[in-house]
Amino acid sequence: MKTSTLSTRTTFCWPVVLPSLALVLVLLLFSMLAPSQAEYIFNSSKSWITAYFSWFYTLAVAAFVILLIGIAISRYGNIRLGPDDAEPEFRFSSWIAMLFAAGMGVGLMYFGVGEPIQHLIAPPTAVVGTPSAAREAMLMTFFHWGIHAWAIYGVVGLVLAYFGFRYNSTTDSALGALPHFKRSD
């Protein structure tokens, strides 16, 4: 009779998880024990970041777009996301349709009206209820749902797909950080 042994190998990486977990717990406890102070600090932090670092966010998102275009037109755009002899399971047009239906379909059905209205009633820079506020609301919505957002998703997806399919690695969110930590496998 053959007995199977359970593997103790895991992708759980303590140096990645513990600092994040500690930070989340500290913020959670602070928010529960001092809600008004937490609200003031979080709102002040958000206002400060928006005032002084919104340029960085816009620049970083533009860099993601440029990075993906650069990868696509360079020799790296021809790297297979799987073994060298792998054939695509779906045609390109089918893949695009599935991507659009899963990502955009769900998001637009839920946020298609809600996000522009949210930006209209609380515009970041325009006066509430003006045509300027309506334009700003639509611009922000297009920015959040346009090529820029997809570029961010694309970079994360490429990292996960490359290591997951090319090297049969796990596809957890810490995958991009794993090379920076010593593994004891």
Side-chain angles (χ1 to χ4, degrees):
M1 181 171 170
K2 186 177 181 181
T3 59
S4 65
T5 58
L6 293 175
S7 173
T8 57
R9 185 174 188 272
T10 180
T11 61
F12 194 79
C13 188
W14 286 107
V16 173
V17 173
L18 282 181
S20 303
L21 186 59
L23 178 63
V24 168
L25 288 175
V26 166
L27 291 174
L28 181 65
L29 286 172
F30 176 58
S31 298
M32 288 173 31
L33 298 174
S36 58
Q37 291 89 347
E39 180 182 12
Y40 174 76
I41 289 172
F42 294 150
N43 283 336
S44 298
S45 300
K46 184 181 85 169
S47 297
W48 185 82
I49 290 168
T50 302
Y52 295 103
F53 284 102
S54 59
W55 64 269
F56 179 74
Y57 174 76
T58 304
L59 185 65
V61 172
F64 279 118
V65 172
I66 293 167
L67 173 69
L68 282 184
I69 291 171
I71 289 172
I73 63 176
S74 73
R75 64 184 177 96
Y76 297 111
N78 294 323
I79 295 176
R80 286 186 186 267
L81 297 177
D84 288 332
D85 59 344
E87 292 294 322
E89 187 175 348
F90 301 99
R91 293 186 326 268
F92 183 73
S93 59
S94 298
W95 183 81
I96 292 294
M98 288 185 283
L99 181 69
F100 184 78
M104 293 296 281
V106 172
L108 288 178
M109 289 299 290
Y110 187 76
F111 290 109
V113 174
E115 185 171 358
I117 296 297
Q118 178 186 0
H119 296 309
L120 180 64
I121 61 174
T125 60
V127 177
V128 176
T130 63
S132 176
R135 273 192 300 279
E136 188 173 280
M138 293 308 294
L139 284 172
M140 289 182 67
T141 302
F142 292 148
F143 182 73
H144 290 157
W145 288 95
I147 191 74
H148 295 86
W150 282 95
I152 296 170
Y153 304 147
V155 169
V156 173
L158 274 177
V159 170
L160 294 174
Y162 181 74
F163 288 105
F165 294 114
R166 187 74 176 172
Y167 296 108
N168 290 324
S169 180
T170 61
T171 54
D172 59 10
S173 59
L175 185 65
L178 287 179
H180 303 291
F181 295 98
K182 189 176 183 180
R183 305 259 323 196
S184 59
D185 293 346

